[in-house]
Amino acid sequence: MPLKVGIVFNYLQLPDVLQYPFVINKRTDDIVIKKGMFVYTNSLEGFLIGIVEKIVLLNEYFSDALTIKAYNNNSNPNILKGLFPSDDFEYAIAIVRNLGIIEFSANSKDSIEKISRMTYPASPGKEVYLIENKTLIDFIGLDEKKGLNLGKLNSTDIEAKINMDRLLNKHFSILSISGGGKSYLTSIIIEELLTRNPSYGTPAIILIDVHGEYTYLKNVNKIKNKVKLIDMSYFQASVPQMSPYIFRKYQEQISHVQIRELAKTIKKLRERKDNNGIYGIKDIIKSIENDSDGSKSTKQALIGWLSELDRLTIFGPQENPTLNNIVNQGELIIFNLEKETSIRKKQILVDYICNRLFYLRRLQKIAPFLLIIEEAHQFCPEAAHSKALSKSIIETIAREGRKFMACLCLISQRPKKLSTTALSQTNSKLILNIKNPYDLKHLMDSSEAITKDFTDMISSLGVGEMLLMGNAVNYPVFVKVRKRNFKSNMETIILSKVCLNWKIEN
Ligand SMILES: Nc1ncnc2c1ncn2[C@@H]1O[C@H](COP(=O)(O)OP(=O)(O)OP(=O)(O)O)[C@@H](O)[C@H]1O
Ligand SMILES: [Mg+2]
């Protein structure tokens, strides 16, 4: 039986097509009508679903200043209370924003056939009911069976089980201020993906972990055999995979003439039979030195640039670890960049990894993957002057990845600094608290679904509360993010304790 919660009435020029008010029934059970709850009424067009947007408490006794004055001045307010039963006159009004007309399928009253736009207001005098869970789950587009459980829908006890395909397919982003809970939410998504029933199909997960925040996952017994932790200090990019133009991408000063010299040398090294196609930067340098023709100054300058690249200790004769061997479906690879301080080095590493992954995916040499990039504004910034080496490939994956099932998750605390091209391609957005007005404006610019109303709500979200919108759901919803199941040792680190135990180790 649907639960009656009130009756539509006329209040301040309403109902209109977009909104209607209803007087909330006084209740004897403990159900409280709150902002964010989903309700319906039967309008001329049928089942009209809406969301409670505002609640107003009214009491005629206290709407008149003189009465309040008399009430206040009286030495014994209890006498007045006896005369005027003011408590009985308190009533609450809810203002509902209409979301659409639901048509149910003819053979099952439970499943939604179609949702269409309403064109006619709710009728005053009609009952308002609370939406039943099953209908709401269908309306929002949750996946009760196979979905990723991120927490509970606000003001309900419905688990926010997000359909994985819908979330990943068109990329997604996680945005909030620092400390808003982005990494926490990411670890919950990873928990869900790694513990998902293998028969449901799960992509490989690749995580660019800038601060080493996810390394604890390697120590969790339940999943540790599915987690590979790669310390980027030992990572090697493969020189034979690099064309002369890739060298120039990483070392911009290389001139056109030098590129020609480099191309000639690389061609020679590739054709040589004695090295099995394996060579490093040092071999290129040696080969340039031994080359008898060509201008000496060109060669000297080129050797200088190549030596500088070599000193970064990123490039080797072979890729290590070999990416096509380690990317497996249903498993997580963490590239831990914790120890890297040079932003250029970090960008080269991220650029190399993203390029290789996308290339391998296009050739179907690795499983479909989800690539999660923490601090994405460092690797794919908006500003033209901060030339991030990895920007172009991240934008390419954002634009074209979907066709090849290369999914992207961008995490950032400064949406304004994140490339608009990339951000606008992340169709689903998981937004936690954002306070900065510039960031909010940037968000509004990057997605038309984010209206002024939403930005007001985003700036008042608490820790662990998020707005989920975009392709993952039919309608934007607020979710209380659940607690994580696998604990990180970061959670037990407390400033005062660290101070007490601090010793400088010589
Ligand atoms: N859903 C949640 N439940 C309980 N606690 C949470 C939740 N989300 C976040 N927190 C708390 O907030 C803290 C900060 O979260 P987190 O490290 O994820 O922030 P962040 O957005 O990644 O910040 P930064 O941008 O600085 O990386 C966490 O350590 C945790 O204690
Ligand atoms: Mg974080």
Side-chain angles (χ1 to χ4, degrees):
M1 263 299 280
L3 196 72
K4 289 181 188 172
V5 290
I7 291 188
V8 182
F9 83 126
N10 284 105
Y11 175 70
L12 303 175
Q13 311 280 317
L14 293 176
D16 63 14
V17 176
L18 297 179
Q19 286 179 310
Y20 69 85
F22 73 89
V23 181
I24 301 174
N25 289 350
K26 279 236 155 43
R27 307 205 67 87
T28 46
D29 51 26
D30 20 309
I31 292 168
V32 184
I33 301 302
K34 291 189 209 149
K35 185 176 165 173
M37 279 182 161
F38 290 84
V39 292
Y40 74 92
T41 181
N42 291 308
S43 80
L44 201 70
E45 295 174 299
F47 189 106
L48 176 63
I49 181 170
I51 185 167
V52 175
E53 201 169 54
K54 201 164 156 185
I55 294 184
V56 188
L57 268 184
L58 289 173
N59 193 322
E60 293 292 325
Y61 273 94
F62 295 105
S63 62
D64 175 33
L66 282 176
T67 323
I68 297 171
K69 192 175 163 214
Y71 196 91
N72 258 345
N73 286 350
N74 198 293
S75 52
N76 189 352
N78 283 336
I79 297 180
L80 263 185
K81 266 220 156 128
L83 281 174
F84 304 109
S86 53
D87 289 354
D88 295 348
F89 277 77
E90 181 179 288
Y91 64 103
I93 297 173
I95 311 277
V96 177
R97 190 156 46 83
N98 294 332
L99 302 174
I101 303 287
I102 295 183
E103 277 171 48
F104 293 96
S105 79
N107 35 18
S108 152
K109 198 78 197 85
D110 267 348
S111 59
I112 294 179
E113 176 104 355
K114 192 174 150 210
I115 300 167
S116 48
R117 286 203 72 75
M118 59 279 156
T119 52
Y120 199 79
S123 315
K126 284 273 187 187
E127 298 274 6
V128 180
Y129 306 90
L130 215 52
I131 291 269
E132 281 173 67
N133 284 1
K134 173 76 190 65
T135 312
L136 187 55
I137 288 169
D138 242 28
F139 177 72
I140 293 173
L142 300 176
D143 181 350
E144 264 184 298
K145 190 164 169 240
K146 302 182 188 172
L148 312 176
N149 180 5
L150 304 188
K152 293 239 164 95
L153 293 190
N154 251 7
S155 318
T156 70
D157 58 358
I158 299 175
E159 285 182 336
K161 291 196 156 186
I162 314 300
N163 181 297
M164 186 196 81
D165 297 321
R166 291 183 59 174
L167 177 67
L168 303 196
N169 201 289
K170 291 189 183 170
H171 314 301
F172 65 105
S173 49
I174 303 181
L175 311 164
S176 83
I177 52 169
S178 172
K182 297 180 295 296
S183 308
Y184 197 98
L185 174 60
T186 308
S187 60
I188 285 167
I189 295 174
I190 293 174
E191 276 180 9
E192 288 291 318
L193 288 170
L194 290 184
T195 54
R196 206 170 128 87
N197 186 330
S199 67
Y200 294 165
T202 310
I205 313 160
I206 295 132
L207 173 62
I208 308 289
D209 183 3
V210 183
H211 302 299
E213 283 173 284
Y214 300 88
T215 49
Y216 76 95
L217 290 167
K218 184 67 202 154
N219 302 321
V220 176
N221 281 333
K222 200 169 166 203
I223 52 168
K224 68 179 179 198
N225 58 348
K226 292 185 186 173
V227 179
K228 284 193 193 81
L229 183 58
I230 292 167
D231 182 341
M232 290 310 271
S233 329
Y234 302 110
F235 185 86
Q236 290 223 313
S238 155
V239 174
Q241 307 273 6
M242 288 164 58
S243 72
Y245 293 96
I246 295 179
F247 277 93
R248 195 166 57 181
K249 181 161 72 169
Y250 298 151
Q251 188 67 283
E252 275 194 330
Q253 293 91 333
I254 297 182
S255 69
H256 285 292
V257 188
Q258 291 161 10
I259 276 278
R260 258 199 313 259
E261 179 70 33
L262 181 61
K264 200 172 74 185
T265 316
I266 287 178
K267 186 160 178 276
K268 236 190 271 168
L269 282 166
R270 281 184 179 164
E271 282 166 0
R272 257 167 66 172
K273 296 278 177 294
D274 57 340
N275 60 8
N276 287 328
I278 295 170
Y279 56 89
I281 293 188
K282 287 202 175 64
D283 300 311
I284 300 180
I285 294 176
K286 216 184 281 165
S287 178
I288 296 172
E289 280 167 345
N290 293 342
D291 191 358
S292 51
D293 40 78
S295 133
K296 200 163 172 209
S297 61
T298 307
K299 287 200 290 189
Q300 276 314 316
L302 180 58
I303 287 171
W305 299 132
L306 292 175
S307 309
E308 199 270 345
L309 271 186
D310 198 34
R311 277 197 295 277
L312 292 176
T313 63
I314 298 175
F315 304 98
Q318 264 170 316
E319 195 170 75
N320 183 35
T322 320
L323 290 178
N324 35 338
N325 292 342
I326 60 169
V327 177
N328 296 317
Q329 57 160 305
E331 294 185 6
L332 167 70
I333 304 173
I334 304 172
F335 289 109
N336 182 9
L337 285 166
E338 192 183 3
K339 293 183 193 147
E340 289 307 337
T341 48
S342 148
I343 181 77
R344 172 160 172 249
K345 207 164 151 181
K346 281 195 268 194
Q347 286 176 355
I348 293 180
L349 286 166
V350 170
D351 179 76
Y352 177 85
I353 291 169
C354 295
N355 265 304
R356 284 283 292 150
L357 288 173
F358 194 43
Y359 170 79
L360 291 168
R361 181 60 211 139
R362 273 200 302 219
L363 296 184
Q364 305 247 356
K365 294 213 166 147
I366 54 172
F369 62 77
L370 164 66
L371 171 63
I372 305 174
I373 305 183
E374 269 273 2
E375 309 282 344
H377 52 274
Q378 283 187 17
F379 302 106
C380 192
E382 169 72 349
H385 61 264
S386 52
K387 281 189 198 132
L389 295 164
S390 42
K391 180 173 173 175
S392 131
I393 180 64
I394 295 175
E395 287 186 345
T396 306
I397 300 179
R399 272 196 314 265
E400 299 169 20
R402 192 171 65 85
K403 297 181 203 106
F404 304 100
M405 298 197 174
C407 317
L408 196 60
C409 164
L410 299 177
I411 303 176
S412 177
Q413 45 173 274
R414 284 314 310 273
K416 172 139 184 33
K417 295 204 169 154
L418 186 59
S419 145
T420 317
T421 311
L423 186 60
S424 58
Q425 295 290 333
T426 60
N427 193 301
S428 297
K429 297 203 166 54
L430 284 62
I431 306 175
L432 299 131
N433 189 323
I434 297 178
K435 294 252 185 297
N436 187 313
Y438 296 108
D439 285 332
L440 288 170
K441 169 137 193 337
H442 191 65
L443 263 182
M444 270 164 58
D445 293 345
S446 75
S447 162
E448 60 213 41
I450 304 180
T451 59
K452 178 82 181 58
D453 284 351
F454 279 121
T455 57
D456 289 346
M457 286 191 259
I458 292 167
S459 58
S460 62
L461 290 175
V463 171
E465 282 180 330
M466 75 159 168
L467 168 64
L468 168 63
M469 62 197 316
N471 193 55
V473 279
N474 297 334
Y475 180 77
V477 279
F478 287 90
V479 175
K480 259 200 145 17
V481 179
R482 69 169 173 81
K483 292 265 175 305
R484 53 180 159 203
N485 295 332
F486 309 136
K487 296 280 174 261
S488 151
N489 43 6
M490 293 273 244
E491 281 171 55
T492 57
I493 298 176
I494 297 164
L495 173 68
S496 50
K497 264 197 197 156
V498 175
C499 294
L500 282 176
N501 297 332
W502 180 255
K503 268 196 300 273
I504 296 178
E505 283 167 23
N506 295 316

